[in-house]
Amino acid sequence: MRKLSRRQTLASMLAAGAGIAAPATRAAPAAGFAARMSFLLVNDVYRIEENKVGRGGMARFAAAVKAERARALAEGRRLVCVHAGDTLSPSLLSSFDQGAHMIALFNDVGLDVFVPGNHEFDFGKDVYFERINEARFPIVAVNLKGSDGAPPPHHQERLLIEADGLKVALIGAAYEATASASRPGDLAFAPTIPAVLAGAKSARAAGADLVIAIVHADKATGAALMNTHAVDLILSGHNHDLHIDFDGRTAFVESEQDANYVTIVDIDVARTPDEANRSLPWWPDFRVVDTAKIDPDPSMLAKVRDYQAGLEKRFDVEIATLAAPLDSRTEAVRSGESAIGNLIADALRKAATAEVAIINGGAIRGDKFYPAGTKLLKRDILDELPFSNKTMLTIVPGKAILAALENGFSQVERLSGRFPQVSGLSIVADPAAAPGARVKTVTVNGEALDLARDYKLATNDFLARGGDGYGMLAGKTHVSADSGTRLVALDVIDYVEAAKIIDAKVEGRIVFR
């Protein structure tokens, strides 16, 4: 087995620290050049279309991959295209086809390896396996096992590749907390770091010269894995960050989300003149591609537009009739209990199987009045809930619920977006009292709020991450940018469609005295 030494030029270190796009100046490889490789990373891709400023999406990603393949061919490099997980959900289109379009589009682009994230399991284990069976790329996860303790069908613990005689092991690790973050059934997810360390040791024993870990992991796990120096390069997903790090021994990269940016790590490996030492110095150069600066690939763009056209038709569909009016105008949803706020909070509570629900009035953005008799469309719900917030179930003590309500009423005179719309709660408050002392009584489903008791609370990921001052709603749940499962809008659509007749009213959930 070759022993690896690691070095990096000052320019590369500056590039890593600043996250700049230009490649660093590379020192000349030692005599006996061994291999040139590049790793292209994408992760957390939910949108197939570009965003409002013309960045990201599958058409621009496909163009970036084509450009890198042409470059790799010209330079005699082995290009490895990596997806570090989260793509089957959540999105509006995935709610209809359960992520089939994502597999089809990534099949067209061509991946060399895919590691499942937690959102791959949002539709359950059976749907996950349906999608995996459609994939024409390897699925790698050393820590994912079936109920029998073996890797599931079509999964590998590691992938071995060669480049100019260099042996490279790709070790994948799925998100270790998937069982609590999604719906994987009886699939088991072992802790990331021990699984990767064991895989790296086995790979090196089998003759691997470089070991690459591809992980869907939170920031703390990724940093801890890097500090072990058991692998040479970590390609990560889950945190929705653009992140580049290198400590002289192990490099770490994450590529933000939705292919807004695509990160490439160029690695040159060179054999030193001292063959007795069998040392292989290697140099990483980091390049960040801003896809806003790339013209979309025409073929992929046409496919994206076909999907979008089909999606548009799906949302111009009547789902319910209003028996009573709904008012989503700003003053209505930010100054007091509202019928539409009750409707949305009830839907959220039911979807999460929670005891109570709290959402912020600022999440409701239609700014419309719907008379009784209105035929609600799916599109109306999307207009009211445009932010792609996800449904969260948290466990919080009663004192956190009280603190959340005080926060919600703290700026009522300003029509602040933090004003709470609730389900399962009855509140008496005094808006003339000092902020922080406005809530007078709270009952939960008819019983007095117990400040020491834990409650199952439904909210959206924006509030659970501290948006509008609601950080206390995270409770006992570890919340990150990747938390939550289905889009709130889709849960509300399902609730409304099932009801057929919507008779939501203001009913005394929030009373000002």
Side-chain angles (χ1 to χ4, degrees):
M1 181 182 74
R2 297 178 177 89
K3 180 180 178 182
L4 299 178
S5 64
R6 288 93 172 171
R7 295 188 292 163
Q8 184 188 37
T9 65
L10 177 60
S12 287
M13 293 176 71
L14 290 173
I20 61 177
T25 302
R26 186 183 297 110
F33 177 74
R36 307 178 77 186
M37 298 188 68
S38 294
F39 294 89
L40 182 152
L41 173 66
V42 72
N43 51 269
D44 302 276
V45 180
Y46 314 106
R47 299 171 61 103
I48 62 173
E49 72 279 12
E50 63 187 39
N51 64 22
K52 293 180 180 179
V53 297
R55 179 175 285 116
M58 288 300 298
R60 293 179 187 273
F61 174 65
V65 172
K66 284 186 178 180
E68 286 303 314
R69 284 181 176 144
R71 175 180 178 269
L73 182 63
E75 295 185 1
R77 291 184 173 276
R78 170 72 183 267
L79 178 68
V80 181
C81 189
V82 174
H83 192 317
D86 271 8
T87 208
L88 297 185
S89 170
S91 70
L92 294 176
L93 184 52
S94 70
S95 69
F96 292 101
D97 71 359
Q98 299 177 313
H101 67 287
M102 300 304 293
I103 295 295
L105 294 178
F106 278 113
N107 279 340
D108 287 345
V109 172
L111 296 175
D112 292 294
V113 59
F114 177 86
V115 170
N118 46 292
H119 284 302
E120 268 57 78
F121 302 90
D122 285 352
F123 301 111
K125 181 180 76 170
D126 291 343
V127 171
Y128 169 71
F129 284 129
E130 280 185 46
R131 297 289 84 83
I132 293 308
N133 288 340
E134 295 161 2
R136 299 199 299 267
F137 40 81
I139 314 298
V140 181
V142 69
N143 65 331
L144 173 56
K145 300 291 189 292
S147 57
D148 59 357
H154 307 294
H155 289 65
Q156 304 169 236
E157 292 187 346
R158 70 181 185 221
L159 187 65
L160 299 176
I161 63 175
E162 287 197 13
D164 299 324
L166 189 77
K167 296 180 180 179
V168 181
L170 306 178
I171 299 173
Y175 185 53
E176 64 182 47
T178 294
S180 60
S182 191
R183 302 176 177 93
D186 60 1
L187 296 176
F189 297 79
T192 298
I193 293 177
V196 171
L197 295 187
K201 181 178 181 181
S202 175
R204 294 199 193 279
D209 298 306
L210 285 175
V211 177
I212 315 299
I214 307 166
V215 301
H216 199 84
D218 60 33
K219 291 181 181 181
T221 301
L225 178 59
M226 182 177 177
N227 289 337
T228 69
H229 297 121
V231 301
D232 301 291
L233 171 63
I234 300 169
L235 304 173
S236 182
H238 183 68
N239 303 292
H240 299 193
D241 290 337
L242 177 60
H243 182 83
I244 298 173
D245 198 2
F246 182 59
D247 63 4
R249 296 177 64 187
T250 298
F252 182 103
V253 172
E254 184 169 344
S255 290
E256 217 234 15
Q257 69 181 79
D258 291 328
N260 292 329
Y261 298 93
V262 176
T263 309
I264 299 101
V265 185
D266 295 325
I267 292 180
D268 285 2
V269 184
R271 196 183 312 280
T272 64
D274 182 7
E275 285 297 321
N277 190 41
R278 301 186 68 77
S279 177
L280 291 176
W282 62 276
W283 295 264
D285 281 351
F286 306 96
R287 292 182 295 116
V288 178
V289 176
D290 181 350
T291 54
K293 300 178 180 178
I294 297 177
D295 291 332
D297 177 71
S299 175
M300 180 61 73
L301 183 59
K303 293 173 183 176
V304 168
R305 286 175 174 169
D306 283 345
Y307 279 120
Q308 288 179 299
L311 185 61
E312 288 289 318
K313 294 178 181 178
R314 291 177 184 268
F315 285 103
D316 288 326
V317 175
E318 293 180 2
I319 55 173
T321 302
L322 295 185
L326 292 180
D327 189 350
S328 70
R329 288 174 294 187
T330 299
E331 185 174 0
V333 297
R334 298 188 182 198
S335 65
E337 178 189 351
S338 67
I340 193 169
N342 290 348
L343 172 65
I344 294 170
D346 286 349
L348 205 64
R349 179 183 168 201
K350 181 176 181 180
T353 317
E355 295 169 272
V356 297
I358 299 176
I359 61 166
N360 54 318
I364 305 169
R365 289 300 182 103
D367 200 28
K368 293 170 63 176
F369 181 82
Y370 304 84
T374 297
K375 304 293 185 181
L376 275 185
L377 306 179
K378 289 183 179 181
R379 184 172 305 283
D380 291 324
I381 307 300
L382 298 177
D383 289 343
E384 294 296 340
L385 299 166
F387 293 123
S388 297
N389 290 329
K390 291 172 287 185
T391 299
M392 287 283 300
L393 175 66
T394 67
I395 306 297
V396 299
K399 64 180 180 180
I401 293 176
L402 177 60
L405 295 173
E406 289 286 8
N407 172 67
F409 297 133
S410 65
Q411 299 178 19
V412 63
E413 62 277 1
R414 303 180 193 174
L415 295 183
S416 170
R418 69 183 60 197
F419 188 91
Q421 300 292 335
V422 303
S423 177
L425 295 168
S426 295
I427 305 144
V428 175
D430 180 1
R438 291 179 169 176
V439 177
K440 302 308 176 184
T441 65
V442 182
T443 60
V444 179
N445 299 314
E447 297 183 359
L449 177 71
D450 184 341
L451 298 184
R453 182 198 148 186
D454 285 340
Y455 293 89
K456 292 182 179 180
L457 179 140
T459 188
N460 61 45
D461 61 316
F462 172 70
L463 297 193
R465 288 186 286 116
D468 275 345
Y470 277 101
M472 71 290 290
L473 292 187
K476 297 182 178 180
T477 305
H478 175 69
V479 181
S480 72
D482 196 61
S483 295
T485 50
R486 297 193 76 211
L487 299 180
V488 171
L490 297 177
D491 283 331
V492 175
I493 286 173
D494 286 351
Y495 182 85
V496 170
E497 190 170 23
K500 302 298 183 186
I501 303 295
I502 301 299
D503 194 22
K505 295 183 175 68
V506 173
E507 54 191 36
R509 298 182 187 188
I510 299 173
V511 176
F512 290 139
R513 75 178 190 195

